[in-house]
Structure formats: C-alpha cells, structure tokens
Amino acid sequence: MNVPKLRFKEFTDEWVTCTINSVAEVISGGTPDTTNSNYWDGSINWFTPSEVGKSKYISNSKRKITQLGLQKSSAKLLPVGTILLSSRATVGESSILSNNEACTNQGFQSLIPHKNINNEFLYYLIYKYKKSLLKQAFGSTFLEISKNNVEKIKINIPTAMKEQVKLSTFLSLLDRKIELQTKKIEVLKLFKSYTKSEIFKNGNHVCKLGAILNKWNKKNKDGAINYVESISNKAGFIPQSEQFEDRNVASKNLRNYYVIKKGVFGYNPSRLNVGSLALKENDFISVVSPLYECFTTTQNNTYLFEWFNSNNFKKETFSKFEGGVRNTLNFNNLCDIPINLPDIETQNQYAKYFNKINFKISLEEQKLSELVKFKKGLLQEMFI
C-alpha cells in the first residue's frame, strides 16, 4: 500500500501520487531595472533566495519595490500563504509568506497552493523532497532548477485534508520546540559574552602578551608521530582528514611538523581574524603544519583562551595585522599586544565559571542537535 511507515492511527486511506503542478501553481520571479530609482524603495516586499529557509514564516524583505517596479518586471504579486521556494543557488530552501503580499526575484519558483493541499503540509513536503529538487538542478556557475522541472516533480500526499493538517500541526509544534531551544542557546551565548566583557575589565596588571607567552618549537624530528591535525575556525584542533575531506594536504615527511600536546595553543597567522586559534585540551598528541604559530602560557589556559575569543582581543589585533592578500599576525606581533590580567587565583576562579557555562551551552546544543535529528527522522517516516 502507498502509505507512510509512521502514521496517525485514525487515518487508513492510501496516499496518492501526483505532481507539484496538480497541487500548486508555480510562479517564477523577476527583477525590475536596478538602475531606475522609480522602481525601488517602495512598499512591496521583494525577496531574494538568501532570505528564505532561515525560518518557517517570512514577512519582511531587505529591499522593497514600487508598484511601477512590479509592473515593469516579470515578477508577480504573491498571496499570503505562498511557499517561497528558492530555485537558484540555494535550491530547495523555502519559507511561507505571511502577513502581506509580496514578490520575488528570478531566483524563485514559488508555489501557490490549490484547495486540495494545506500550505503548511506543502512546506514540510518541500522540505522532505529537497534532495529530489537538487537532482533536477543544473548549471556550472550555480545550481538552478526550472519552473517546468519543479512542476513535474512527483510527490505523495494524503487525500484527507484532516491528515495533512494533523501532520503539519504536529511538525509545527516540533519546530516551535526547536525554535525555543535555539533561542535558549542564543541567550546563554549572549549572557556569556556580556559577562566576559565585564570580567576582562577586572585586571590589575597590564603587560604585553610576550611577557606571558612562550613560543612552542618542539618538532617531530624522529617522525614518530603521524596523527596530523589542523585548526578549524569553530572546533579548534581537529583531524586534518576532517578539515580537508576531499584531499590530503599533509607533507609525506612530518619531521618538520610541530608536536602538539595538552596545554599548547596554536593559530593560523593568516586566519586569526576569523577565529582560527585553538587550545589543545585532550591527551592525544598530534602534529600540525609548521605554517601554524604555536605557544604556551604561564597563565591559566582557559582564562587566556576565552580572552583570545573575546572582543577585547579582536580590538587589539586590528592595528597589528600585516597587509597583503590576507591579514596576518605573526608571533612577534601577537606578543606586542597588551592584556589586562588579574592574579592567577582570580583567573582560576573565572576559568571555573567559563568551564561551567561552556558545558551548559554544549549540553543545550546537543539537545538541539537531537531535536533536529528527530525531526529529520520523522519526515522520513511520516512522508512517502
């Protein structure tokens, strides 16, 4: 039978197979002349692909066009409830239009639902069929899917509107839980950011970083260590195989690589401005490329690491970067940056606080990850 694996028990009818154009009118977008000021800064919302997919509902665009701009383009006014479906670059991303009528640029194939389908159900259906949309996409510079291809995509839907509504209501409740969990994490991070800025004001000894840092030069001279790591912007020290999944960038001869053990800092001089700095916090000894700068400190590791990841440090680095294709900060210039330090006992207390709040954030992020994974599983089981 053509039914999903997981289903509300009161529904027993088979689902029907059809195409997108049998449940929705597919509408392409358009762009008025960008050089004509009479077409812009009006009152009509005009969406671009980068604006959809971040939330289920969307109501306000970054740019707005005038009535004349709408008339002078191929864009059409879309009613509230339309599924704004990105068909270019970010193919498959979508949001539901709420509050006001709007139009889009040419990077959309928006769906106006017919009476035989619930618009929220259609939104979740599109989410489920994202891989099918991507398979239909073409293009070398950027991916794109045509109106004709969107219309012909085969889908499965329940004939009973009550089942569509119940499914979408259930998934909406789950989305709300995910949204609240996301906001909880954002609040925790904002709280941490605020307390960090206050904590780093409380030093009583100003010195240059050079006074508390020691350059780390231990090399893998005997070649005994072959576990290679890289420094990522978000995850710190990670296996190089994860950083460069599609290729091996490590030298065959690792004797010139730095040996990294617990308590050693490392950073990419050309990517420090985007957060490429890490502290080795586990006991797995590894090696990293000699392109990295490595060092240890006489202070509390956790306290200093949090300071490196603060606005205080970012402000101090602006005048120290050397120009070129990328802003770089070598170890000597790093050592010239001033820091306002509290005594070591106070640092230790602050470090305990940082560890506690970091653990709390990590725990909440894990809960969010599990909710998102649960939703994906439900979409696979509750849809065909």
Side-chain angles (χ1 to χ4, degrees):
M1 290 183 68
N2 193 35
V3 295
K5 294 178 181 178
L6 184 63
R7 198 178 191 189
F8 295 109
K9 61 181 180 180
E10 64 266 35
F11 303 107
T12 57
D13 293 343
E14 283 196 66
W15 286 29
V16 296
T17 302
C18 57
T19 53
I20 290 286
N21 63 351
S22 67
V23 298
E25 181 183 3
V26 181
I27 303 292
S28 303
T31 303
D33 183 355
T34 56
T35 63
N36 192 325
S37 60
N38 292 323
Y39 298 163
W40 299 96
D41 298 323
S43 59
I44 302 172
N45 283 306
W46 180 81
F47 290 98
T48 61
S50 64
E51 296 177 271
V52 300
K54 298 178 178 66
S55 60
K56 180 178 177 180
Y57 286 98
I58 191 169
S59 58
N60 290 308
S61 61
K62 294 177 182 178
R63 296 191 71 182
K64 300 180 189 299
I65 64 174
T66 62
Q67 188 65 41
L68 181 61
L70 180 63
Q71 294 171 1
K72 295 295 183 179
S73 74
S74 59
K76 294 179 176 62
L77 203 58
L78 304 169
V80 171
T82 298
I83 313 300
L84 304 183
L85 173 63
S86 173
S87 61
R88 183 176 295 179
T90 57
V91 174
E93 295 295 334
S94 63
S95 293
I96 302 175
L97 179 62
S98 65
N99 296 338
N100 298 298
E101 294 177 317
C103 60
T104 70
N105 76 356
Q106 62 269 35
F108 286 85
Q109 302 297 341
S110 298
L111 310 178
I112 302 177
H114 293 163
K115 291 182 179 180
N116 64 336
I117 195 163
N118 174 269
N119 72 325
E120 285 197 343
F121 177 83
L122 181 57
Y123 165 79
Y124 287 114
L125 193 68
I126 291 298
Y127 188 94
K128 164 69 168 60
Y129 278 82
K130 185 176 179 180
K131 287 185 178 179
S132 296
L133 289 163
L134 287 169
K135 286 180 181 178
Q136 298 290 332
F138 57 90
S140 55
T141 305
F142 51 78
L143 289 177
E144 184 173 7
I145 184 169
S146 69
K147 176 181 177 179
N148 185 54
N149 284 346
V150 171
E151 290 177 330
K152 291 182 178 179
I153 289 176
K154 288 185 178 181
I155 57 174
N156 293 280
I157 65 169
T159 54
M161 182 62 71
K162 285 185 178 180
E163 186 171 6
Q164 294 181 24
V165 171
K166 190 158 187 175
L167 272 167
S168 60
T169 300
F170 173 73
L171 290 169
S172 292
L173 290 172
L174 182 56
D175 272 341
R176 178 58 177 163
K177 190 170 181 65
I178 290 172
E179 180 186 349
L180 290 173
Q181 185 65 21
T182 301
K183 287 182 178 179
K184 185 175 183 179
I185 294 168
E186 289 172 354
V187 169
L188 280 171
K189 288 182 176 180
L190 282 172
F191 176 72
K192 178 189 172 184
S193 179
Y194 171 76
T195 53
K196 277 175 69 170
S197 64
E198 294 300 306
I199 284 171
F200 294 138
K201 293 177 183 177
N202 294 332
N204 52 21
H205 173 60
V206 178
C207 66
K208 296 289 183 70
L209 283 174
I212 62 169
L213 302 185
N214 298 309
K215 190 169 177 61
W216 182 262
N217 287 317
K218 186 176 181 181
K219 295 290 185 73
N220 187 32
K221 292 181 180 180
D222 56 3
I225 303 168
N226 56 19
Y227 174 45
V228 184
E229 288 192 307
S230 294
I231 298 174
S232 71
N233 299 344
K234 294 182 179 180
F237 285 105
I238 62 171
Q240 192 178 75
S241 57
E242 293 181 16
Q243 181 84 327
F244 305 98
E245 294 180 0
D246 59 339
R247 63 193 188 279
N248 180 15
V249 299
S251 169
K252 291 182 179 180
N253 185 351
L254 303 178
R255 295 177 185 274
N256 197 40
Y257 276 46
Y258 291 121
V259 176
I260 303 298
K261 64 180 184 178
K262 189 173 184 179
V264 176
F265 290 82
Y267 73 92
N268 185 332
S270 298
R271 295 187 60 80
L272 188 59
N273 60 320
V274 292
S276 188
L277 182 147
L279 168 63
K280 185 72 169 178
E281 296 183 282
N282 59 47
D283 294 317
F284 296 105
I285 298 176
S286 63
V287 292
V288 299
S289 167
L291 295 175
Y292 289 118
E293 296 278 16
C294 303
F295 60 88
T296 58
T297 181
T298 58
Q299 307 300 299
N300 183 283
N301 284 340
T302 300
Y303 179 88
L304 188 62
F305 180 67
E306 291 291 346
W307 185 81
F308 279 131
N309 286 282
S310 70
N311 289 329
N312 304 64
F313 175 64
K314 289 177 183 177
K315 289 177 183 177
E316 294 293 346
T317 59
F318 287 145
S319 62
K320 304 297 181 182
F321 282 126
E322 295 178 349
V325 178
R326 291 181 177 178
N327 288 327
T328 60
L329 188 77
N330 61 38
F331 184 71
N332 288 335
N333 287 343
L334 177 72
C335 287
D336 198 42
I337 292 174
I339 182 173
N340 190 11
L341 281 171
D343 60 70
I344 193 67
E345 289 185 4
T346 304
Q347 289 182 41
N348 293 340
Q349 290 300 313
Y350 286 145
K352 289 180 181 178
Y353 160 75
F354 289 137
N355 286 332
K356 286 181 180 180
I357 195 167
N358 287 340
F359 177 78
K360 176 64 175 174
I361 291 172
S362 178
L363 189 64
E364 298 302 333
E365 287 178 333
Q366 184 178 348
K367 290 179 182 178
L368 176 61
S369 178
E370 289 170 355
L371 283 170
V372 172
K373 185 178 180 180
F374 179 57
K375 177 185 173 181
K376 288 182 178 179
L378 286 177
L379 286 168
Q380 293 298 319
E381 298 290 313
M382 301 182 80
F383 289 77
I384 301 174

